[in-house]
Amino acid sequence: MKVTVVGAGAVGASCAEYIAIKDFASEVVLVDIKEGFAEGKAMDLMQTASLNGFDTKITGVTSDYSKTVGSDICVITSGIPRKPGMTREELIGINAGIVKSVSASLIEQSPNTIIIVVSNPMDTMTYLVHKTTGLPKNRIIGMGGALDSARFKYRLAEAVGAPISDVDGMVIGGHSDTGMVPLTRLATRNSVPVSHLISDDRLNQVKEDTKVGGATLTKLLGTSAWYAPGAAVSGLVQAIACDQKKMFPCSTFLEGEYGLNDLCIGVPVILGKNGIESIVEIELNDAEKAHMQESAAGVSKTNALLEL
């Protein structure tokens, strides 16, 4: 199993580290446009191998996509990060050009690869890859819902006073502060609805804190987060590489599912060796449907800014 990660910044390097530590891939290739940067990150990570007990080979290259040939899974994290006060949507002009160029270079070397898009605005960048590469929809996956759901579970556990392993919950919709749809109605602690354990006001606060999870960290850190995004990507990669058939909310191209068409947005999917094995349609109530429609309208508005 060979995995390529384009963009050796904080998110890309964290992704490579988590993949290596899980030790399911034979090789991880880090690619970056900055001279020597990916090589340095790869060397630093390889010097942790004996300490962390993994055998995955990590190599770094500067814009040499020939080294990525035969990659089973490619992760695109490249692009400029969010700055304080900047929305994901404001990134579109610069990052669209980067993602389009990178995806073309990757597919040239690995035509059978599965692409995971992390670059923001993620739903629109996933849509861009779908529209410009010709890859089947099951092999184009946007990472957003997995991260948003992890942040949701963090807030749920905090509110309930439980270990995170006790709680479960999912966020669907667009990967943006206004587009997320945290499914509070379906959140549980060991099968007990969380709504039975905390007040409606507290649960609503959990939802709102989840929706601004990324912006909160950007304000604190001065840049985008990286540990949780890297871990989220590694979870998706492992589910595909190991054919785990796990369910994650991911941005995928919809053709009528959830009443939506011609856009990529976060919905539950089953991930396995073929990428997206199936889309899972869950029954939403009227309020959730309305929020999903609003989220989709926002994503479509951003998509309209693309020059396809």
Side-chain angles (χ1 to χ4, degrees), residues 61-111:
V61 296
T62 303
S63 301
D64 182 3
Y65 285 87
S66 68
K67 303 296 185 183
T68 72
V69 67
S71 294
D72 299 283
I73 303 169
C74 293
V75 179
I76 303 176
T77 75
S78 47
I80 63 170
R82 273 205 302 175
K83 304 297 183 183
M86 179 187 288
T87 66
R88 291 181 174 92
E89 288 72 21
E90 290 170 334
L91 300 176
I92 187 170
I94 297 172
N95 286 355
I98 295 171
V99 169
K100 187 175 180 179
S101 173
V102 166
S103 59
S105 297
L106 290 169
I107 292 168
E108 182 180 5
Q109 300 296 329
S110 306

Side-chain angles (χ1 to χ4, degrees), residues 207-221:
K207 179 173 71 173
E208 295 306 314
D209 288 344
T210 298
K211 290 166 69 174
V212 297
T216 300
L217 286 165
T218 299
K219 183 177 180 180
L220 291 169
L221 296 168

Side-chain angles (χ1 to χ4, degrees), residues 94-170:
I94 297 172
N95 286 355
I98 295 171
V99 169
K100 187 175 180 179
S101 173
V102 166
S103 59
S105 297
L106 290 169
I107 292 168
E108 182 180 5
Q109 300 296 329
S110 306
N112 297 316
T113 195
I114 293 168
I115 291 181
I116 297 176
V117 181
V118 183
S119 307
N120 279 317
M122 186 276 303
D123 297 293
T124 294
M125 294 301 103
T126 306
Y127 182 76
L128 174 69
V129 173
H130 178 84
K131 288 295 184 179
T132 59
T133 63
L135 289 182
K137 59 183 284 186
N138 63 293
R139 287 166 48 199
I140 304 170
I141 303 163
M143 189 290 296
L147 171 61
D148 298 332
S149 297
R151 289 172 171 165
F152 184 36
K153 285 181 269 192
Y154 160 70
R155 290 299 189 184
L156 283 170
E158 182 181 54
V160 175
I164 289 182
S165 57
D166 252 16
V167 301
D168 197 17
M170 183 186 297

Side-chain angles (χ1 to χ4, degrees), residues 6-296:
V6 183
V11 173
S14 292
C15 173
E17 179 181 18
Y18 290 130
I19 291 171
I21 287 175
K22 292 177 180 180
D23 214 20
F24 60 83
S26 58
E27 182 179 6
V28 176
V29 180
L30 273 173
V31 183
D32 203 276
I33 60 170
K34 185 177 179 181
E35 187 70 36
F37 191 64
E39 292 89 336
K41 286 288 186 79
M43 185 180 295
D44 191 16
L45 285 169
M46 281 304 296
Q47 289 171 3
T48 73
S50 63
L51 300 169
N52 287 326
F54 65 81
D55 294 313
T56 303
K57 178 184 178 182
I58 307 172
T59 57
V61 296
T62 303
S63 301
D64 182 3
Y65 285 87
S66 68
K67 303 296 185 183
T68 72
V69 67
S71 294
D72 299 283
I73 303 169
C74 293
V75 179
I76 303 176
T77 75
S78 47
I80 63 170
R82 273 205 302 175
K83 304 297 183 183
M86 179 187 288
T87 66
R88 291 181 174 92
E89 288 72 21
E90 290 170 334
L91 300 176
I92 187 170
I94 297 172
N95 286 355
I98 295 171
V99 169
K100 187 175 180 179
S101 173
V102 166
S103 59
S105 297
L106 290 169
I107 292 168
E108 182 180 5
Q109 300 296 329
S110 306
N112 297 316
T113 195
I114 293 168
I115 291 181
I116 297 176
V117 181
V118 183
S119 307
N120 279 317
M122 186 276 303
D123 297 293
T124 294
M125 294 301 103
T126 306
Y127 182 76
L128 174 69
V129 173
H130 178 84
K131 288 295 184 179
T132 59
T133 63
L135 289 182
K137 59 183 284 186
N138 63 293
R139 287 166 48 199
I140 304 170
I141 303 163
M143 189 290 296
L147 171 61
D148 298 332
S149 297
R151 289 172 171 165
F152 184 36
K153 285 181 269 192
Y154 160 70
R155 290 299 189 184
L156 283 170
E158 182 181 54
V160 175
I164 289 182
S165 57
D166 252 16
V167 301
D168 197 17
M170 183 186 297
V171 177
I172 61 173
H175 182 57
S176 69
D177 300 349
T178 57
M180 291 182 209
V181 184
L183 297 176
T184 53
R185 177 178 62 90
L186 302 178
T188 61
R189 178 181 184 180
N190 281 352
S191 301
V192 177
V194 171
S195 58
H196 293 183
L197 305 175
I198 57 176
S199 68
D200 290 344
D201 287 345
R202 187 69 179 94
L203 191 53
N204 187 63
Q205 187 62 53
V206 166
K207 179 173 71 173
E208 295 306 314
D209 288 344
T210 298
K211 290 166 69 174
V212 297
T216 300
L217 286 165
T218 299
K219 183 177 180 180
L220 291 169
L221 296 168
T223 187
S224 298
W226 59 90
Y227 293 125
V233 178
S234 74
L236 303 187
V237 172
Q238 185 175 23
I240 297 166
C242 300
D243 195 25
Q244 292 179 327
K245 302 293 193 289
K246 279 193 171 185
M247 183 188 295
F248 288 93
C250 294
S251 189
T252 186
F253 188 75
L254 298 184
E255 298 173 290
E257 300 91 348
Y258 290 89
L260 302 174
N261 282 282
D262 193 35
L263 82 166
C264 293
I265 198 167
V267 295
V269 303
I270 303 300
L271 293 183
K273 64 181 179 181
N274 297 310
I276 294 175
E277 304 276 346
S278 63
I279 294 172
V280 180
E281 290 198 68
I282 56 177
E283 187 172 345
L284 304 178
N285 64 25
D286 289 343
E288 291 158 352
K289 288 178 183 176
H291 290 152
M292 193 65 166
Q293 290 288 338
E294 291 171 9
S295 180

